[in-house]
């Protein structure tokens, strides 16, 4: 890496020129070379390494055409369309080692859209007036940090000066230590889990790591599974072990951890080998107990904490889940195996758990076998999900699928 790491600064000069100059000076004083991507629409100030004109052109317009749109949302969409490929090119070709953005709702939206297209591991920080509120649209599934601007981004004051300085030096420090990830020669395995199945998935992870695999584990509480899917869509993945279906269950039954309608599809569509096991299908994640009782009347409940209640699924729910998985398997372009534990689906569904019902796994397994496409490999085992024997069976099947 060069002595001076390059940091991309994303900030509009037409409305935030003073802040842009201050932050640039701080980055340079910290030993960084600045590549300023300026998505200004109102006017061009000049001095940015990537100008508004270049951004508009990369998006298929001229800056005059963008300005003529006369609608802030349409203008932003045009500048996002140009900023993304320019940022990707700069990272790939110019050795960008960190990205710092500053903005209100519009600037944060543009910066988030850009950063979500950049590699995992590349330092990314947004100083934003939106950082103390709902940040999911800006962070998405990437490793983006957000810092609360505290005051509006309207000049330099005794608070904002420190916020901007801290942000600049934080990114400078990360950029100096940044090393782009090199491709691993180890087979990459992706696994989904929750705390209630962690005992089983930990055994699987440790055994696969001992066999020379790189294993990434994702917490399937709403964002983890979609993140796993996004990596399966982008990277060279040897196999996906989709062992926690919480986000699919909650998608079906309006739980709090719904993963969206495409949860679980990416690996299947790419032909990546997939192993399914019904971890955590014994419960829906509901809200506080009073709310859970109202939303899911007549069920069994376990208060996980004041904000979350595990709501026991019944046989009708489990059949719906089986039919959903059958629909996913029908889309598979590669090998798929399913494993069903007859002694319980999570630590809640165990003799020491709070929602145990040993009568339910057998009819679930029977219905799953009926509805999956003909020829699908479904193995029903006389174990609990967290038992060593169940983990061992999944590891053996993984070895067979990827040839290790």
């Amino acid at each position: 890496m060069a002595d001076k790491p390059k940091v991309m600064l994303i900030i509009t000069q037409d409305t935030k020129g003073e802040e842009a100059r201050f932050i640039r000076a701080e980055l340079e004083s910290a030993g960084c070379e600045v590549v300023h991507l300026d998505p200004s629409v109102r006017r061009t100030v000049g001095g940015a390494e990537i100008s508004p004109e270049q951004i508009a052109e990369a998006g298929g317009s001229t800056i005059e055409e963008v300005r003529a749109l006369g609608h802030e949302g349409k203008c932003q969409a045009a500048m996002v369309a140009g900023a993304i490929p320019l940022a990707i090119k700069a990272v790939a070709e110019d050795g960008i080692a960190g990205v710092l953005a500053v903005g209100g709702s519009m600037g944060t939206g543009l910066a988030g859209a850009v950063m979500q297209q950049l590699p995992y591991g590349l330092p990314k920080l947004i100083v934003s007036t939106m950082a103390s509120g709902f940040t999911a649209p800006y962070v998405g599934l990437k490793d983006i940090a957000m810092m609360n601007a505290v005051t509006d981004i309207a000049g330099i004051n005794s608070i904002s000066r420190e916020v901007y300085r801290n942000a600049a030096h934080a990114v400078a420090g990360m950029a100096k230590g940044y090393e782009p990830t090199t491709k691993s020669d180890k087979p990459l395995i992706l696994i989904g889990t929750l705390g209630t199945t962690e005992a089983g998935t930990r055994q699987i992870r440790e055994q696969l790591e001992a066999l020379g695999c790189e294993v990434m584990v994702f917490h399937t509480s709403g964002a983890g599974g979609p993140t796993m899917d996004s990596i399966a869509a982008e990277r060279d993945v040897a196999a996906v072990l989709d062992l926690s279906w919480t986000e699919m269950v909650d998608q079906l039954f309006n739980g709090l951890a719904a993963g969206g309608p495409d949860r679980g599809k990416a690996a299947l569509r790419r032909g990546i080998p997939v192993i399914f096991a019904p971890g955590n299908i014994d419960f829906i994640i509901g809200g506080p107990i009073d709310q859970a009782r109202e939303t899911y009347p007549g069920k069994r409940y376990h208060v996980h904490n004041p904000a979350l209640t595990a709501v026991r699924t019944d046989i009708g729910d489990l059949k719906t889940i089986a039919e959903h998985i059958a629909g996913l398997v029908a889309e598979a372009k590669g090998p798929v195996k399913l494993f069903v534990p007859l002694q319980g689906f999570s630590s809640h569904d165990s003799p020491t758990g709070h929602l145990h019902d040993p009568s339910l796994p057998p009819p679930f397994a029977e219905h799953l076998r009926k509805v999956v496409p003909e020829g699908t490999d479904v193995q029903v085992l006389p174990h609990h999900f967290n038992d060593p024997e169940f983990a061992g069976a999944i590891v053996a099947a993984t070895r067979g699928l990827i040839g290790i």
Side-chain angles (χ1 to χ4, degrees):
M1 181 178 290
D3 291 340
K4 285 190 173 184
K6 292 183 179 179
V7 172
M8 176 173 286
L9 175 62
I10 303 176
I11 184 171
T12 55
Q13 292 191 98
D14 56 355
T15 59
K16 300 170 179 64
E18 183 180 2
E19 296 88 345
R21 291 189 296 273
F22 178 86
I23 296 167
R24 182 180 192 117
E26 288 295 325
L27 286 167
E28 290 175 343
S29 73
C32 296
E33 181 180 339
V34 177
V35 176
H36 185 179
L37 185 151
D38 179 7
S40 298
V41 171
R42 291 178 175 86
R43 61 191 177 92
T44 299
V45 174
E49 284 72 17
I50 302 176
S51 68
E53 286 78 8
Q54 291 172 289
I55 296 170
E57 182 180 355
S61 305
T62 66
I63 193 63
E64 290 77 18
E65 288 170 336
V66 174
R67 290 168 180 159
L69 291 170
H71 183 287
E72 69 275 14
K74 293 178 181 179
C75 291
Q76 168 146 317
M79 298 303 274
V80 167
I84 288 173
L86 290 176
I88 291 172
K89 181 180 179 182
V91 169
E93 298 180 5
D94 299 334
I96 299 296
V99 185
L100 171 60
V102 180
S105 61
M106 298 296 284
T108 301
L110 183 141
V114 170
M115 290 183 185
Q116 287 176 38
Q117 301 305 313
L118 301 180
Y120 287 100
L122 176 70
K124 313 171 193 71
L125 174 62
I126 306 174
V127 177
S128 172
T129 55
M130 310 301 290
S132 64
F134 183 48
T135 60
Y138 312 118
V139 174
L141 304 176
K142 284 296 176 72
D143 52 340
I144 298 169
M146 294 187 70
M147 178 183 288
N148 185 13
V150 184
T151 68
D152 194 13
I153 301 166
I156 306 295
N157 58 62
S158 59
I159 291 178
S160 65
R161 178 181 292 107
E162 299 306 318
V163 171
Y164 301 151
R165 179 182 291 124
N166 288 342
H169 286 266
V171 172
M174 290 187 285
K176 290 173 183 177
Y178 174 60
E179 295 182 6
T181 301
T182 56
K183 181 177 173 59
S184 173
D185 58 358
K186 296 181 177 182
L188 175 59
I189 311 293
L190 311 181
I191 301 179
T193 192
L194 273 186
T196 42
T197 49
E198 195 272 337
T201 54
R202 183 182 66 251
Q203 298 173 66
I204 295 167
R205 173 180 60 80
E206 291 174 348
Q207 291 179 45
L208 289 172
E209 287 175 341
L211 291 166
C213 296
E214 178 184 5
V215 182
M216 296 183 185
V217 181
F218 299 86
H219 194 70
T220 58
S221 57
T227 302
M228 180 172 74
D229 292 339
S230 74
I231 293 174
E234 296 175 6
R235 293 200 176 190
D236 183 12
V237 175
V240 172
L241 311 187
D242 217 330
L243 310 182
S244 176
W245 298 357
T246 300
E247 293 153 329
M248 291 182 275
V249 172
D250 282 12
Q251 182 69 26
L252 292 170
F253 302 111
N254 298 313
L256 298 183
D262 292 330
R263 171 69 184 89
K265 294 182 179 180
L268 298 168
R269 289 172 172 172
R270 284 193 69 195
I272 296 170
V274 174
I275 292 178
F276 280 118
N280 305 308
I281 66 167
D282 48 304
F283 59 90
I284 304 161
I285 299 180
I289 182 61
D290 291 343
Q291 178 183 321
R293 286 195 175 106
E294 181 178 349
T295 306
Y296 307 101
K299 301 278 194 179
R300 292 173 60 193
Y301 314 95
H302 167 62
V303 178
H304 182 62
N305 60 44
L308 300 177
T309 302
V311 181
R312 175 71 224 202
T313 48
D314 58 29
I315 187 56
D317 301 328
L318 294 176
K319 287 183 176 180
T320 298
I321 295 165
E323 290 159 9
H324 177 76
I325 294 299
L328 292 181
V329 173
E331 295 190 31
K333 295 182 179 178
V336 178
K337 293 180 179 291
L338 290 96
F339 288 79
V340 181
L342 287 180
Q343 299 302 314
F345 302 125
S346 80
S347 60
H348 288 327
D349 187 23
S350 70
T352 59
H354 305 280
L355 299 172
H356 189 39
D357 190 337
S359 72
L360 292 176
F364 167 79
E366 181 181 357
H367 191 68
L368 183 66
R369 278 179 160 161
K370 286 180 180 177
V371 297
V372 294
E374 185 176 354
T376 303
D377 184 1
V378 181
Q379 298 189 35
V380 180
L381 302 178
H383 308 298
H384 187 273
F385 186 99
N386 289 327
D387 286 345
E389 296 86 352
F390 193 71
I394 290 178
V395 170
T398 305
R399 295 185 68 178
L401 285 172
I402 67 175
I404 59 172

